[in-house]
Amino acid sequence: MNIRLLQLPERTAKPRQYGLTMVMDKGLSIREAEDMLSASADYIDVVKLGWATSYFFPRLREKLAVYKEAGIPTYFGGTFFEAFIVRGQFDDYMRLLEEYDMEYVEVSDGSIEIPHDEKCAYIQRLAQSYRVLSEVGSKDAEKILAPYQWIELMQAELGAGAWKVIGEARESGNVGLFRETGEVRQGLVKEIIHSIPAERIIWEAPQKSQQVWFIKQVGANVNLGNIAPNEVIPLETIRHGLRGDTFDWFLHKSK
Amino acid sequence: MNIRLLQLPERTAKPRQYGLTMVMDKGLSIREAEDMLSASADYIDVVKLGWATSYFFPRLREKLAVYKEAGIPTYFGGTFFEAFIVRGQFDDYMRLLEEYDMEYVEVSDGSIEIPHDEKCAYIQRLAQSYRVLSEVGSKDAEKILAPYQWIELMQAELGAGAWKVIGEARESGNVGLFRETGEVRQGLVKEIIHSIPAERIIWEAPQKSQQVWFIKQVGANVNLGNIAPNEVIPLETIRHGLRGDTFDWFLHKSK
Amino acid sequence: MNIRLLQLPERTAKPRQYGLTMVMDKGLSIREAEDMLSASADYIDVVKLGWATSYFFPRLREKLAVYKEAGIPTYFGGTFFEAFIVRGQFDDYMRLLEEYDMEYVEVSDGSIEIPHDEKCAYIQRLAQSYRVLSEVGSKDAEKILAPYQWIELMQAELGAGAWKVIGEARESGNVGLFRETGEVRQGLVKEIIHSIPAERIIWEAPQKSQQVWFIKQVGANVNLGNIAPNEVIPLETIRHGLRGDTFDWFLHKSK
């Protein structure tokens, strides 16, 4: 738009290192992916092909090309990595990454249990050829880590070469960083923010109330993930204080 | 269909003054908008471009043309108006309306506080050039108005020149007319219906249970808003007593 | 994908008699239907045109052709059948089935009350020309049948010629087989499974937690229905133990 609103928060611009929006594609058709990009490519920094959905997608190479042409990197969800690891097929996973010409890779242990130094060894090895996102937090609602544990794990994974660490929440936003109701574990998140640079963390925050909380807490440019395709533009309005939820907050802040 | 069901309720036909369905577009791509129209244009009377999403949509002019060609008027969500007002940029908003050749405009105070005569002055001024929808009710779940206050505000806004007044509910349907659970504030709505002609009110009712309640209360042709794109045809079945929720009710009524 | 994961459950292949995924189309545009098929036709065995939505769809013949070309049978939701029955228009419904060249038909009594032998007579008559799916269970949350009643009804309907019987859940998954919260009525379902061959039942299970429960209970190839278009590939991952929810369960089972 030519006509501009005054006093908007400063947003980082592409290619962003901070202020990232990571979208979850859990099986979009090629045309649906194109549609999403035609409306909101400017606001999407990276696309995760959710968990193992890629395994069942019939024209994966073609879809990856659509994202590549739009300049948006993609990666397979961590559960896919774990499915290979648990079967002793890490070499097959390496071949897969090569065959599909991936540039990013996720390393996670949300569904499997592996010693943390082993996880870090995977990060280290993959970081030689790929940009690694490593995820902390279990998909199991009963496995609760203390804040200091989250922080130690994150620091070790960044130390092993991860580009960003991801705070687990699943597609639904009700484990890891969040209670079963979707409510943010505020004490946990504040502890993490206190110890890890905000630029290095991507917070999975699929629900609007979660996005609002992180933006108010960390700022317009907090890195957020697991955003649904049709929520990218709505998220951008929340970041800018142009939706009811952050309208007031931003105006007070900018005074 | 050539084969017709007997004893269906009488639905108003386009161009409707009553029996309106207002759809919320919160960032549909051009092709998604076309898809929606190809399936359900006959049942859509007006499209709201949700809150400030238009500000971030890359090919807005093209999308507006798609709706215009289908004969469906559009308007910017009220929060967008408020974002200009709160920054003292009303003149810019006027330019914006002109630049995009809008015919409808929403005036609201869901996120800002302005004296009511000032709000009515905006309605009056805009009504000279545009068809005005004015919205009553706060997006803040804590700001509860008594029924007589809703009614006074609505009457004043219609008096100032509003074409329709809108009862606030947000995209999610959990403020204003509804409790946090999405349940209808029945006493409130019945009071309003008693005092304001049903034709003049659009009820935001994004949830199915809310749509069902209003249809049973007011009739097949109640004006409903904030309908999601993929809920337009389902809503039409509910209006006609052809979904489980209103199936019984309609048959009993038509006896 | 050329690179295969080891130790996956055996899935039946098309044309499936067991391991069916039935998708609910509640008004997809032609292009949206094409999109869904381009991504997941291999995993869709049958499409239900939800309740009476077909009555309002403007280019129905064209949409049916899209599904037919993909080799996927379709049928009108049972509420549509009931709308004709309750108006004494069964003959019109027969003409409708013929006019649209349908091969499958649903017989249900979720919104109307008819004697069960009358329902079975409809099944018998329609089974002469069509593949019949008959549905058991009311859309009314207050009408609770005992397990032995479900079983008797299902047996009688299969005896009358139904190809499969469907366990009712609606689009939302909160009646019939499920409590209002969406929780599975486990005792009920286990009783049914004990008495009716799993191949003959399609369980409506729109919510992920419901799909997970049935897969863990019955197996990867349980017949599931009312799956949303964008949940077909996610469901396939759950069936294969490749989503967090069934990841562990499948590995333990396959040991």
Side-chain angles (χ1 to χ4, degrees):
Chain A
M1 284 195 165
N2 301 328
I3 297 166
R4 305 306 300 170
L5 280 163
L6 306 173
Q7 294 168 276
L8 292 182
E10 287 201 32
R11 271 286 276 149
T12 50
K14 276 199 167 187
R16 293 184 186 90
Q17 287 296 315
Y18 186 45
L20 303 178
T21 294
M22 174 263 275
V23 167
M24 157 88 86
D25 168 347
K26 60 177 189 176
L28 293 178
S29 73
I30 310 273
R31 205 152 58 184
E32 287 166 342
E34 289 170 351
D35 282 350
M36 175 176 77
L37 295 175
S38 85
S40 53
D42 282 356
Y43 314 117
I44 301 174
D45 299 286
V46 55
V47 168
K48 171 164 68 179
L49 303 159
W51 65 105
T53 52
S54 302
Y55 197 65
F56 300 97
F57 195 81
R59 294 152 67 199
L60 185 58
R61 220 173 282 278
E62 217 177 308
K63 184 154 78 174
L64 293 173
V66 167
Y67 286 124
K68 191 159 274 185
E69 191 159 331
I72 295 175
T74 55
Y75 65 96
F76 299 130
T79 301
F80 203 24
F81 163 81
E82 296 178 44
F84 279 89
I85 294 303
V86 81
R87 287 167 174 81
Q89 295 184 263
F90 178 62
D91 288 348
D92 283 337
Y93 197 63
M94 293 291 280
R95 281 175 46 222
L96 189 80
L97 295 174
E98 210 172 313
E99 193 171 321
Y100 286 93
D101 208 15
M102 305 306 287
E103 298 173 30
Y104 287 58
V105 64
E106 181 177 339
V107 172
S108 62
D109 56 350
S111 298
I112 59 175
E113 297 202 26
I114 48 174
H116 198 243
D117 52 356
E118 203 176 304
K119 184 180 179 190
C120 287
Y122 283 120
I123 294 171
Q124 208 160 8
R125 172 138 174 221
L126 286 163
Q128 289 164 18
S129 315
Y130 302 97
R131 196 164 255 192
V132 177
L133 298 104
S134 77
E135 190 181 62
V136 173
S138 174
K139 291 190 195 301
D140 184 338
E142 317 242 308
K143 288 190 192 147
I144 310 247
L145 299 172
Y148 81 91
Q149 292 172 303
W150 280 81
I151 292 165
E152 280 180 10
L153 296 171
M154 285 179 159
Q155 285 171 333
E157 297 181 15
L158 289 169
W163 172 59
K164 307 279 181 196
V165 285
I166 300 173
E168 167 73 84
R170 307 198 64 175
E171 188 204 351
S172 45
N174 60 359
V175 296
L177 302 170
F178 306 102
R179 299 184 207 286
E180 257 194 274
T181 56
E183 201 197 333
V184 180
R185 293 187 200 277
Q186 302 197 11
L188 167 62
V189 172
K190 287 180 185 171
E191 284 285 328
I192 295 173
I193 292 168
H194 181 69
S195 300
I196 311 273
E199 294 79 7
R200 306 302 298 277
I201 312 174
I202 298 176
W203 307 95
E204 292 188 351
Q207 298 180 19
K208 186 183 75 167
S209 61
Q210 299 168 346
Q211 297 157 16
V212 168
W213 189 88
F214 277 105
I215 288 166
K216 287 189 181 173
Q217 194 67 34
V218 184
N221 290 299
V222 62
N223 300 326
L224 294 173
N226 285 14
I227 305 305
N230 63 348
E231 294 295 340
V232 176
I233 286 182
L235 172 58
E236 207 57 31
T237 65
I238 298 172
R239 289 185 185 276
H240 282 84
L242 291 174
R243 190 172 188 175
D245 313 82
T246 52
F247 194 98
D248 247 23
W249 162 80
F250 175 67
L251 290 174
H252 288 224
K253 199 175 139 263
S254 68
K255 266 175 198 161
Chain B
M1 285 196 167
N2 301 328
I3 298 167
R4 305 305 300 169
L5 280 163
L6 306 173
Q7 294 167 275
L8 291 182
E10 287 201 31
R11 272 285 277 149
T12 51
K14 278 197 166 189
R16 296 183 185 90
Q17 287 296 313
Y18 187 44
L20 303 178
T21 293
M22 174 265 273
V23 167
M24 157 88 87
D25 168 346
K26 61 177 189 176
L28 293 178
S29 73
I30 310 273
R31 206 152 57 183
E32 287 166 343
E34 289 170 352
D35 283 349
M36 175 176 77
L37 295 175
S38 85
S40 53
D42 281 356
Y43 314 117
I44 301 174
D45 300 287
V46 54
V47 169
K48 171 165 70 179
L49 303 159
W51 65 104
T53 51
S54 302
Y55 197 66
F56 300 97
F57 195 81
R59 294 152 65 200
L60 185 57
R61 218 173 284 276
E62 218 177 308
K63 183 153 79 174
L64 293 173
V66 167
Y67 286 124
K68 191 159 275 184
E69 190 158 332
I72 296 176
T74 55
Y75 66 95
F76 299 131
T79 302
F80 202 25
F81 164 81
E82 296 177 43
F84 280 88
I85 295 303
V86 81
R87 288 168 173 81
Q89 294 184 263
F90 178 63
D91 289 347
D92 283 335
Y93 197 62
M94 293 290 279
R95 282 175 46 222
L96 188 79
L97 295 174
E98 209 171 314
E99 193 171 321
Y100 285 94
D101 207 14
M102 305 306 286
E103 296 172 32
Y104 288 57
V105 64
E106 181 177 338
V107 172
S108 62
D109 56 350
S111 298
I112 60 175
E113 298 201 24
I114 49 174
H116 197 243
D117 53 355
E118 202 176 305
K119 184 181 178 190
C120 287
Y122 283 120
I123 294 170
Q124 208 159 8
R125 171 138 175 220
L126 286 162
Q128 290 165 18
S129 317
Y130 302 96
R131 196 163 255 194
V132 176
L133 299 104
S134 78
E135 190 181 61
V136 173
S138 174
K139 291 190 195 300
D140 184 338
E142 318 241 309
K143 288 189 193 149
I144 311 248
L145 299 172
Y148 81 91
Q149 292 173 303
W150 280 81
I151 292 164
E152 281 179 10
L153 295 172
M154 285 178 160
Q155 285 171 333
E157 297 181 15
L158 289 169
W163 173 59
K164 307 279 180 198
V165 285
I166 300 173
E168 167 73 85
R170 308 198 64 176
E171 187 204 351
S172 45
N174 59 0
V175 297
L177 303 169
F178 306 101
R179 300 185 206 285
E180 255 194 276
T181 56
E183 201 196 334
V184 180
R185 292 185 200 279
Q186 302 197 12
L188 167 62
V189 172
K190 287 179 186 173
E191 284 284 329
I192 295 174
I193 292 168
H194 181 70
S195 300
I196 311 273
E199 295 77 8
R200 308 300 298 276
I201 312 175
I202 298 176
W203 308 95
E204 292 188 352
Q207 299 180 20
K208 187 184 73 165
S209 62
Q210 299 168 347
Q211 297 158 15
V212 168
W213 189 89
F214 277 105
I215 287 165
K216 287 189 182 173
Q217 194 66 34
V218 184
N221 290 299
V222 61
N223 300 325
L224 294 174
N226 284 15
I227 306 304
N230 63 348
E231 295 294 341
V232 175
I233 286 182
L235 172 59
E236 207 56 31
T237 65
I238 298 171
R239 290 185 185 275
H240 282 83
L242 291 174
R243 189 173 188 175
D245 313 82
T246 53
F247 194 97
D248 247 22
W249 161 80
F250 175 67
L251 290 174
H252 289 224
K253 201 176 137 262
S254 67
K255 270 178 197 161
Chain C
M1 283 194 167
N2 300 328
I3 299 167
R4 306 306 299 170
L5 280 163
L6 307 174
Q7 295 168 276
L8 292 182
E10 286 200 33
R11 273 284 278 148
T12 51
K14 277 198 168 189
R16 295 185 185 89
Q17 287 296 317
Y18 187 45
L20 303 178
T21 294
M22 175 264 273
V23 167
M24 156 88 88
D25 168 346
K26 60 177 191 177
L28 293 178
S29 73
I30 311 271
R31 205 151 57 184
E32 287 166 342
E34 290 170 352
D35 283 350
M36 177 176 75
L37 295 176
S38 85
S40 52
D42 281 356
Y43 315 117
I44 301 174
D45 299 287
V46 54
V47 168
K48 171 164 70 179
L49 303 159
W51 66 104
T53 52
S54 302
Y55 197 66
F56 300 97
F57 195 81
R59 295 152 67 199
L60 185 58
R61 219 173 283 276
E62 217 177 309
K63 184 155 78 175
L64 293 174
V66 167
Y67 286 124
K68 191 158 276 183
E69 190 159 334
I72 295 175
T74 55
Y75 65 95
F76 299 131
T79 302
F80 202 25
F81 163 81
E82 296 178 43
F84 280 88
I85 294 302
V86 81
R87 287 168 174 80
Q89 295 185 262
F90 178 64
D91 289 348
D92 283 335
Y93 196 62
M94 292 291 278
R95 282 175 47 222
L96 189 79
L97 294 174
E98 209 172 315
E99 193 171 320
Y100 287 94
D101 207 15
M102 306 305 287
E103 298 172 31
Y104 288 57
V105 64
E106 181 177 338
V107 172
S108 62
D109 56 349
S111 297
I112 60 175
E113 297 201 25
I114 50 174
H116 197 243
D117 53 355
E118 202 175 305
K119 185 182 178 189
C120 287
Y122 283 121
I123 293 171
Q124 209 160 7
R125 170 137 178 221
L126 286 162
Q128 290 164 20
S129 317
Y130 303 96
R131 196 163 256 192
V132 177
L133 298 104
S134 79
E135 190 181 62
V136 173
S138 174
K139 291 190 195 301
D140 184 338
E142 318 242 308
K143 288 189 192 147
I144 311 249
L145 299 172
Y148 81 91
Q149 292 173 302
W150 280 81
I151 292 165
E152 281 179 11
L153 296 171
M154 286 180 160
Q155 285 171 333
E157 298 181 14
L158 289 169
W163 171 59
K164 307 279 180 197
V165 285
I166 301 174
E168 167 73 86
R170 307 198 66 175
E171 187 204 350
S172 45
N174 59 359
V175 297
L177 303 170
F178 306 102
R179 299 183 206 289
E180 256 194 274
T181 56
E183 201 196 333
V184 180
R185 292 187 200 276
Q186 302 197 12
L188 167 63
V189 173
K190 287 179 186 172
E191 285 285 331
I192 295 173
I193 292 168
H194 181 69
S195 300
I196 311 272
E199 295 77 11
R200 307 300 298 276
I201 313 174
I202 298 176
W203 307 96
E204 293 188 351
Q207 298 179 21
K208 187 184 72 166
S209 61
Q210 299 168 346
Q211 297 158 14
V212 168
W213 190 88
F214 277 106
I215 288 166
K216 287 188 182 174
Q217 195 66 35
V218 184
N221 290 298
V222 62
N223 299 325
L224 294 173
N226 284 15
I227 306 302
N230 64 348
E231 294 294 340
V232 176
I233 286 182
L235 172 58
E236 208 55 32
T237 65
I238 298 172
R239 289 185 186 277
H240 281 83
L242 292 174
R243 189 172 188 175
D245 313 81
T246 52
F247 195 97
D248 246 22
W249 161 80
F250 175 68
L251 290 174
H252 288 224
K253 200 175 138 263
S254 67
K255 268 177 199 164

